[in-house]
Amino acid sequence: MRTITALSIALVLLLVSVGARQTPTPPPFAPGVVRIPQAGVVAPTPTHKVHPKYTPAAEAAKLQGTVTVECVVKVDGTVGDLRVVKSLDTTYGLDDRAVKAAKTWRFTPAKKGTKSIRSVVTLDFDFVIGQ
């Protein structure tokens, strides 16, 4: 009887620990897209940044915080696929403003040796009233 009880407790603890794991890293965007940092890869650097503007509704609601966007920097330095990984607001349009701004960013692309490669960058857009 003791063995069954100990086994039951161990099984419950295992199931609880599996259920309590962190949300996994999102899957890669596409084959061949490198996540930075990676050995032997020089990260892309921004050459043109645009900060999103508040929507009037979000400003009136006094929303403040950060929208985090992951995006693929293509070999020509433009932004390809992207996704919001930390949302601030889907009601008043701040997530949409962050995505729109991210699409206009330009970079020197990541390099592996002398070859330009596609990579993923994470952009944080801070929304602070009065700035």
Side-chain angles (χ1 to χ4, degrees):
M1 188 67 135
R2 270 184 129 162
T3 306
I4 292 174
T5 304
L7 185 60
S8 298
I9 292 171
L11 182 59
V12 168
L13 290 174
L14 176 65
L15 292 173
V16 168
S17 70
V18 168
R21 287 188 184 157
Q22 296 288 334
T23 304
T25 301
F29 282 97
V33 177
V34 174
R35 202 169 268 285
I36 305 294
Q38 189 174 95
V41 175
V42 177
T45 54
T47 58
H48 175 76
K49 299 178 183 181
V50 173
H51 186 76
K53 299 201 183 312
Y54 264 96
T55 61
E59 197 165 15
K62 299 187 187 309
L63 289 179
Q64 296 189 101
T66 302
V67 177
T68 303
V69 177
E70 276 189 337
C71 46
V72 174
V73 176
K74 300 188 294 186
V75 296
D76 65 358
T78 60
V79 172
D81 295 334
L82 52 83
R83 62 180 164 219
V84 174
V85 293
K86 180 184 163 211
S87 175
L88 171 62
D89 160 60
T90 57
T91 304
Y92 298 108
L94 294 183
D95 286 2
D96 292 337
R97 290 281 175 103
V99 166
K100 186 177 177 181
K103 288 180 180 179
T104 67
W105 279 45
R106 297 295 176 261
F107 296 82
T108 57
K111 298 240 184 221
K112 188 168 191 172
T114 59
K115 183 179 178 187
S116 294
I117 59 171
R118 294 181 301 157
S119 63
V120 176
V121 297
T122 302
L123 306 176
D124 289 323
F125 294 102
D126 298 319
F127 288 91
V128 180
I129 293 176
Q131 287 187 352

